[in-house]
Amino acid sequence: MKKLLILSLTLLVHFTIAQDIIVMKNGDEINAVVLEVGSESIKYKKHDNQNGPTYTIDKAEVFMIRYENGSKDVFNTQKEEPKKQVTNERSFSKGSININPLGLLQFGPIIQYEGKIGSSSYVVPYFRYAYAGVATHAIWTEFEEDNELSAGSAAIGLGFKGFTSSDNSLYYGGLLDYSWTTARYNIGQTSETEEKATNLGVISNFGYRWRSRGSSYINLGLLAGAAFTLKDEERYVSDGSLLSQDEDITIFAMIEFSFGWDFK
């Protein structure tokens, strides 16, 4: 009888402690038989009803599980956030501004603004200061001492530019260039004349853009197209009479070596 009583007490003690305890973050404890610990949830049965339903609780609400064998699982107090996908490719900028100083040797330096209008495309308004171009002076004045190009000779334009990638990439596009030029010849002489001309240029633009780790970049490309004369008249300064009037098409090309900055 005494041995039977001891055996009964032993089984009772084992039954009492042979359970898992789920400790919630709010301090509640659940006597359970843990079936599964997943990445987002924990499945268990109640210890006193192991043939009953299976329960599921959010793992983020659980502080710790004490298992019947004495081991423990302690969970993070903060819910893990999904890892962001890392990519080496930068996103396209909202816009940029660039300067082509090489125009000082050609048909004038250019300042361009690029404003984003699509996922990888930009509208491009720009200004070209033709007077500051050496080639412009050579064409219009032939560097004669008594010939002079007006400092107001310039051009404005509007175009489009697209890119194959948001990182180092090819670019392509086109521009419409409206220019006005004034020059005087034989200054101080009785035969002094003044020539005024306006032209419309249709230009293609393509090249390659290298981007730095910051917001700066360098372009190396080509501007090539044709300029159509809208008006070109040369008149005597003394009486305003017409000396000549031309209408022609000029084919030209200009190297683009510019640098700029992106606006994020």
Side-chain angles (χ1 to χ4, degrees):
M1 184 68 180
K2 185 177 181 180
K3 290 182 179 180
L4 181 60
L5 179 59
I6 292 173
L7 179 60
S8 299
L9 290 174
T10 302
L11 292 174
L12 180 61
V13 171
H14 179 74
F15 179 79
T16 301
I17 65 173
Q19 58 184 325
D20 303 323
I21 299 177
I22 302 173
V23 182
M24 308 297 289
K25 289 182 179 178
N26 62 8
D28 292 344
E29 294 186 358
I30 302 173
N31 296 326
V33 176
V34 176
L35 304 177
E36 179 184 336
V37 178
S39 59
E40 300 291 336
S41 63
I42 297 171
K43 295 181 179 180
Y44 70 95
K45 288 182 178 292
K46 289 185 177 180
H47 183 266
D48 56 2
N49 188 17
Q50 297 183 26
N51 294 323
T54 298
Y55 297 88
T56 302
I57 55 175
D58 191 343
K59 188 177 178 181
E61 298 177 1
V62 177
F63 169 67
M64 177 179 63
I65 299 176
R66 289 199 300 263
Y67 296 101
E68 61 174 324
N69 61 4
S71 63
K72 297 179 181 179
D73 275 341
V74 179
F75 304 102
N76 292 333
T77 56
Q78 295 182 349
K79 186 175 181 179
E80 293 182 0
E81 295 182 358
K83 293 183 180 179
K84 295 182 180 180
Q85 185 177 2
V86 178
T87 175
N88 292 327
E89 186 173 354
R90 71 192 80 192
S91 60
F92 283 98
S93 64
K94 294 181 180 179
S96 73
I97 187 168
N98 61 70
I99 302 171
N100 183 5
L102 191 61
L104 290 168
L105 301 176
Q106 299 173 310
F107 303 103
I110 296 173
I111 299 177
Q112 288 186 342
Y113 173 76
E114 299 171 0
K116 190 174 183 180
I117 57 174
S119 59
S120 59
S121 56
Y122 296 78
V123 63
V124 184
Y126 86 108
F127 172 76
R128 176 170 61 86
Y129 191 33
Y131 175 76
V134 173
T136 303
H137 280 268
I139 292 173
W140 278 81
T141 69
E142 298 178 356
F143 291 103
E144 297 289 339
E145 291 183 359
D146 55 357
N147 295 341
E148 182 181 82
L149 185 68
S150 170
S153 300
I156 56 175
L158 184 67
F160 162 86
K161 186 175 284 184
F163 294 86
T164 58
S165 170
S166 58
D167 213 329
N168 299 335
S169 68
L170 294 170
Y171 63 85
Y172 54 89
L175 298 162
L176 289 177
D177 175 288
Y178 176 77
S179 63
W180 57 92
T181 312
T182 302
R184 285 200 172 194
Y185 310 105
N186 305 318
I187 296 173
Q189 303 177 32
T190 57
S191 60
E192 181 177 350
T193 61
E194 182 180 71
E195 182 181 6
K196 292 184 177 181
T198 55
N199 295 274
L200 180 65
V202 180
I203 306 169
S204 61
N205 181 211
F206 55 90
Y208 194 84
R209 174 168 293 182
W210 287 272
R211 298 180 186 273
S212 70
R213 292 183 179 180
S215 58
S216 61
Y217 60 82
I218 293 176
N219 293 330
L220 179 60
L222 184 69
L223 294 159
F228 300 86
T229 299
L230 301 178
K231 180 182 179 180
D232 187 355
E233 295 180 348
E234 185 175 359
R235 296 179 179 272
Y236 287 103
V237 174
S238 58
D239 59 8
S241 60
L242 183 65
L243 174 64
S244 66
Q245 189 174 28
D246 294 323
E247 290 185 6
D248 56 12
I249 300 175
T250 303
I251 306 299
F252 67 93
M254 180 174 175
I255 295 174
E256 181 180 25
F257 183 70
S258 60
F259 56 90
W261 302 265
D262 284 325
F263 304 116
K264 301 300 183 182

